[in-house]
Amino acid sequence: MADPVDVLVVGGGSTGCGIARDLAMRGLSVTLVEQGNLTHGTTGRMHGLLHSGGRYAVSDQASARECIEENRVLRDIAGHCVETTGGLFVQLEDDPDEYFEQKLEGCRECDIPAEVLTAEEAREREPYLTREVKRAIAVPDGAVDPFRLCVANAADAVEHGARVETHAPVTDVLVEGGEVIGVEVEHESGPGKRVHTKPGTTEEIRADHVINATGAWAGRVGEMAGVDVEVRPSKGVMMIMNVRQVDTVVNRCRPKGDADIVVPHETTAILGTTDVEVEDPEDYPEERWEVDLMIETLSQLVPILSEARTIRSFWGVRPLYEPPGTGTTDPTDITRDFFLLDHEDRDSLPGMTSIVGGKFTTYRLMAEKISDHVCEKLGVSAACRTAEEPLPGSEDFSVLREYMDEFGLRSPIGRRSVQRLGSRADEVLKTAEPNPVVCDCEAVTRAEIRDAIEGAGSDLNAVRIRTRASMGNCQGGFCCHRMASELHPEYDEETVSAAWDELVQERWKGERHALWGEGLSQAALNYQLHGTTMSLDREPAVADFAAFDSGTETATDGGKSDGD
Amino acid sequence: MAIESDVLVIGGGLAGASAAIEAARGGASARLVTHKENTLRNASGLIDVLGYHGSDEPIVEPFEAIPDLPDHHPYRKVGVDAVRESLALFDEITEGLYEGGHTETNALSPTYGGRVKPTSRYPKSAAAGLASRAEDTLLVGFETVTTFDAPLSAERLDSSVPFEVRGVTIPFPGEFRADARITRLARALDADELLDRENRTGTREALAERVSEHLGDAKRIGFPAILGDEEHREVRETLEDELGVPVFEVPMGPPSLPGMRLEDRLYEALETEGVRVESGNPVVGYTADEGRITAVSVDRGRREIPYHADQFVLATGGLVGKGIDSTREGVFEPVFDCHVPQPEERYEWFHDEAFDDQPYARFGVAVDDDLRPLDPEGDPEFSNLRAAGAVLGGYDMAREKSASGVSLSTGQVAGRNANEDLQ
């Protein structure tokens, strides 16, 4: 058993990783455990909007103020994860004027820069907007890569001495003498990096304080400690389009509603979303009506969407929380604010704190607040530095331009690699060996894949979220096996095959929801490539090789016997 | 002048080419119109007839297994003999380019994924590599050809075949960009580009030299299928001379050089048979009279031109080739709007595991025994329209490994029946 640590963080999403980084930078010893990959829960399943706060400017001004502040912080410390696209709140002819005025007023009250655009100006910025636009409000919304941001937080935590264990679900919260003293985790393939074929182990990790940062799963961890954490998980669908139909975040300017936002994200655009309360954050229906609603409703705003190719859909679960007794029935009315539950005060159970609610854009602030809280409990006086210290990859942007034509990569590929890696480009791309492209759709090179494997073990989904490989139009049809090959020979064939299969199945999970037109055609192609050309769809059970045709004698001397 | 032919074939893959050649041989004036690059360029170049039915045990004798297939399977529509005949036609057309015609028994070919696959005909360039021939094997991959990892494929094969397989990765000789296309590498071998002007060392010799140190006890050497394009025989011959053992290509794609070589051969045969081939323009509509198609319209950019014929063959491919298309509301056949049987609910088009028995993989038109597409009532959509190849429904070519056999046999039968029906 390892030495006890100061703080054990449960949950490898943005909040958990943010907390681990914050505390590690303050000098505490920290271990973070996550049941799946980093971002496995809600962080990896959101639309990638970096809020300006505009969306909350009418309904929840406290959240709106936090958003604009954190928006500014993230542009600063995580420049390589953020694209400053700007955003529009678009009013259509039949949308209420009153709400538009409230939105504008709300933005001004919350110090969110807001500028009114005429219909013409709005369509000049976004030519695919409908002609039904009445006017729009421009705000500093942005796009953020939640994977890259979360992984950068974890990497920096490790850099500051933290231990991060993925694929390590908590199986028990250890309570002794009425106090939480640690957790028991199951390492699915032993501690350290994931290797598919390695047998699992369990470990008791003791800590002075346990932080439950498991979002929609917080109730489960609470239950293991014997306390109630009343999370109200609410699902929402997001649909990925094959190209960027818009270059700024486009919001519909009307009171809350489903399907009212399009976020440009790398080469794609993400449509969102729905808001339906679910019982279980891992087991809920992914429904056709949600998919169809995105296209039907958002094409009122951006008509070309009705004809566009979708490449997949995915669902996320919001970790909504409201204090017991609030009694909100409609999940869209539940506050987006976050809550720090001190189980000592609340349940007379010292040693554990839960953090619930909140949203991605303010993850750093949430992490700061809970870190302050824990430091106070532990009598540590170090100050938070996460708002000033850049994340790995965002340290020095002056060097980026120089990378563009280096590394023997054609310039569009080099550009995209460097955008993803930020200031780490040098370290990752400067290899002695040739660096061919492994994923053509997203222009991901071998060096990036190998760099990700170093951090992720044989887990190709973890490689995927770090690099974007297999996330483009072909959804891995042409590159899943290439990514898997990069694991070999460090990992043996059995491990590589298991990793490949897991990636292919994960890709299929989202593709299923885009199975018409180009999406169905692509799926059929992928199926044939994997099933026919590679024949990886099954392991053939050959009873007798000698029963099969072994060719003619002339065939053995190949070219020489050719007749013509 | 009006465009007129006896038989008009729409689609330029294996099925369409077979149909047009057969019709022309029967004496008809045949015309073939094809829109896009056909899927031959993507497929491995192996000619599968039937590899699996029901179990994971590969089928040894495909012709004996065909009668066990369900009634709606395309093979049952044309019958076993027609499948045999279509392979005979294929053998004739591809003489010198393909092997396997000496027997009806399936061979096992290695795939670039490192599995064995039951197949009926294989490119001559792949013949020395059969997994059903027990000889120790060295697989050679190239650093920058990321789609074929020789050591990984070798490890996978080695664990399942009764001989030893080793794999090695080497740099391709010469100076290329790290993301050079495989067709570029094939051209370097074709031209035997000089690497060392002073000593006149060419790409082929340099390649053999790099491989020789890894040869060991191997009795044959496999490369990804990039060993030349036009000059593939000479490339293999040089390598075999230098290395002293048979050399083979592991079928691969896309892009597939063996598939491109086959395509070239098919188009030569079309020319020999006097089939008029037009490529690049889509068929966008048709006119019909009393249940007979009188003409299709071809979009030639500026205007639509009617192409008249007595008989028509639809060989436009399946979901991949867009001979079958879909929207959120349903699956359809875009040229003649032939009925495509399908579950009404879109969420019943698929199963949740990627390699389950996928309903969408069987999408296509249903046909009668004369290969005429049927309407929802089970009557022919048109009396003079037949369908062939992947546009047909009711079979899963990937799961059962039957793509080429179905295309060849239904293509030939459609062409023959069209010819017989000429008025």
Side-chain angles (χ1 to χ4, degrees), chain A residues 488 531 534 538 549 556 562, chain B residues 111 122 132-133 155 399 401:
Chain A
H488 195 261
M534 285 188 265
R538 64 171 106 213
D549 166 33
T556 56
D562 285 353
Chain B
T111 72
Y122 33 90
S132 37
R133 173 190 287 271
E155 192 180 328
R399 200 173 174 77
K401 325 293 178 210

Side-chain angles (χ1 to χ4, degrees), chain A residues 60 232 234 277 320-322 328-337:
Chain A
D60 185 355
R232 304 210 11 209
S234 160
E277 197 160 347
L320 301 182
Y321 176 86
E322 60 177 21
T328 308
T329 48
D330 183 345
T332 62
D333 290 331
I334 299 175
T335 176
R336 265 49 179 171
D337 208 353

